[in-house]
Amino acid sequence: GPVLVPILGDQLTRDLASLRGRTKEDTVVLMMEVWDEATYVRHHKQKIVLVFSAMRHFAAELRDAGWTVDYVKLTDEDNAGGFTGEVARAIERHGPRAVHIVEAGEWRVQQQIEEWPDKFDCEVDILSDDRFVSSLSEFRDWAEDRDTLRMEFFYREMRRKTGLLMDGDKPEGGEWNYDSENRKPPKEGLEAPQRPLFEPDDITRACIALVEERFGDHFGSPENFGWPVTRDEAEQAADAFFAERIECFGPFQDAMVHGQDDLFHSMLSTSINLGLLDPLDLCRRAEQAYKEGKAPLNSVEGFIRQLIGWREYIRGFYWLHMPHLRRANALNAQRGLPEFFWTGETDMRCLADCIRSTRDNAHAHHIQRLMVLGNFCLIAGISPREVQDWYLVVYADAYEWVELPNVAAMILYADGGKLASKPYAASGNYINKMSNYCSDCAYSVSKKTGDGACPFNSLYWHFMDRHRDKLESNHRIGRIYSNWDRMGEDRQRDYLDTAEAFLDTLKPADSGWARAD
Ligand code: FAD
Ligand code: DLZ
Ligand code: SF4
């Protein structure tokens, strides 16, 4: 028989390791829409539309190129509902001599795949996913040699390995990292060019109808769906970024403007994570823009660092710490996720805007995820399991391998500081500096305690106070305790009472939406 090549929903890459070198005559590609994947969390409607539509387009593209593709739709009568069951059925249909599959991005799915060699009667080859700069074994070797892992040092290795922005063995411009130039607050009236939105075609419209019918009660609306669903569209999105936005990407990377959802971000994560765009190729294009004088070094270095630094580091970290990362809770946070994370109904203008963007676009940009939503969950002490599942549900680019380290380790410090050297806790002052949210907020950012005070201000000290035993010895954060001590007991009591009064007003979301296991 032929070789059966199952391709998962985030493996939509023409040059995938399992396709490379295969002949069309001798291969059956298998793609599966399955209930398990669509429902392991109650994904945002746009996320399901995106994955299904991109899968269907990819299958069509392979067929046009002469491949045999066996495509199982969600609504097919005998759909087994999961990958293992569907591969078993496909083995019966095609009688393959072997199954070749690229390892899964997520631990949950990889566990299933690793059972296949025992379950199935034919040879099963699990290939490594080489769409990353660093292989998992390379990352393990790098990590094993060190007591503490820091992205910055890993990133330098990746710069050397790829040669990106290298001047011989020195970093271009003399510095590895230009982050200090990338913290410009938004100027009055800061506006970015509109990113291209892609009009749904017949395939996408069919997916929207399917999602409305089967997943009608999921979060969000597919109404203004405009994500790229093919490699061509993703390339157009990348072209627009390199032509119009990369120049300002660096300086305004941490800026937030009410109602301006994308600013100068690339908005390419959904396409990269699906496999439609190659991150290394994007880095080379960014480097080229710098060489041609079209973008400054701080923008280009910043963009490249997100991709070969953070993205790769996050992935390595995930595989190093699964499965226990999902249960980590170093700060013992137990509070339920507030209901307003689903409704957006809060007087905190920053949170309301970030949640609105999340609902409308299945996207929020990095600093919104980190310093508004994430910071709030950290200092309000929301349970990591609930925060994790929320992020996995709401973002169209969310896969556990990239979501979980960002949530558990980067924002919640649930790993006790293995990934980040300190918790990213901040008061309202930071948000005020980097955004225009506060001027029209019902709360006053300059008011520290009492009625109408910005909740971030009191929650910040409540957080610091309740975790003093763990944080005081941290050299990056410990010093702030002398400020706290200097306030004196009455002032401290004001802060703690204000925070507690606020926390008492939080209504938790109905349970049942987060994963039980
Ligand atoms: P840009 O700002 O244009 O950045 C360029 C690219 O760099 C992104 O497309 C992405 O591929 C990569 N990148 C940047 N930061 C990170 C990071 N911290 N980790 C990994 N890759 C990064 N990204 C996801 O792809 N999926 C997620 O589920 C996800 N969850 C996140 C959760 C939290 C709490 C935080 C703080 C960040 C999360 N990120 C996640 C990272 C980042 O916020 C998004 O990648 C980014 O907002 C996507 O928009 P963009 O393509 O415009 O990014
Ligand atoms: C996210 C997702 C969804 C919603 N549905 C499917 C699906 O039906 N079939 C599929 O192959 N992939 C889907 N995906 C993406 C998978 O969850 C993704 O491939 C995993 O991260 C693999 O580890
Ligand atoms: Fe957010 Fe506080 Fe500013 Fe309001 S005042 S927008 S709650 S940081």
Side-chain angles (χ1 to χ4, degrees), residues 346-352 372 427-432 435-446 452-457:
T346 164
D347 288 338
M348 300 174 77
R349 194 168 183 255
C350 53
L351 281 167
V372 178
S427 68
N429 194 29
Y430 176 88
I431 295 171
N432 188 35
S435 77
N436 68 353
Y437 286 141
C438 303
S439 51
D440 283 322
C441 183
Y443 293 102
S444 162
V445 73
S446 58
C454 167
F456 279 99
N457 292 337

Side-chain angles (χ1 to χ4, degrees), residues 142-155:
W142 176 81
E144 250 165 31
D145 291 345
R146 287 165 177 78
D147 293 334
T148 49
L149 305 184
R150 290 296 167 250
M151 193 289 295
E152 185 63 26
F153 298 105
F154 172 77
Y155 167 55

Side-chain angles (χ1 to χ4, degrees), residues 92-106:
E92 277 178 28
R93 282 197 298 276
H94 303 289
R97 65 175 189 279
V99 173
H100 290 185
I101 180 154
V102 170
E103 65 191 349
E106 297 184 317

Side-chain angles (χ1 to χ4, degrees), residues 123-186:
E123 183 195 316
V124 176
D125 273 355
I126 305 172
L127 311 171
S128 44
D129 188 348
D130 52 18
R131 298 174 299 167
F132 291 86
V133 176
S134 168
S135 71
L136 292 174
S137 59
E138 227 179 310
F139 187 89
R140 257 202 188 92
D141 289 346
W142 176 81
E144 250 165 31
D145 291 345
R146 287 165 177 78
D147 293 334
T148 49
L149 305 184
R150 290 296 167 250
M151 193 289 295
E152 185 63 26
F153 298 105
F154 172 77
Y155 167 55
R156 292 180 193 178
E157 300 282 321
M158 294 300 103
R159 288 274 292 278
R160 290 193 187 94
K161 179 170 180 184
T162 58
L164 283 161
L165 295 180
M166 294 300 292
D167 178 6
D169 57 1
K170 298 222 163 51
E172 182 73 33
E175 306 285 341
W176 290 102
N177 181 321
Y178 294 90
D179 226 12
S180 58
E181 295 172 34
N182 287 355
R183 293 177 191 142
K184 281 211 175 28

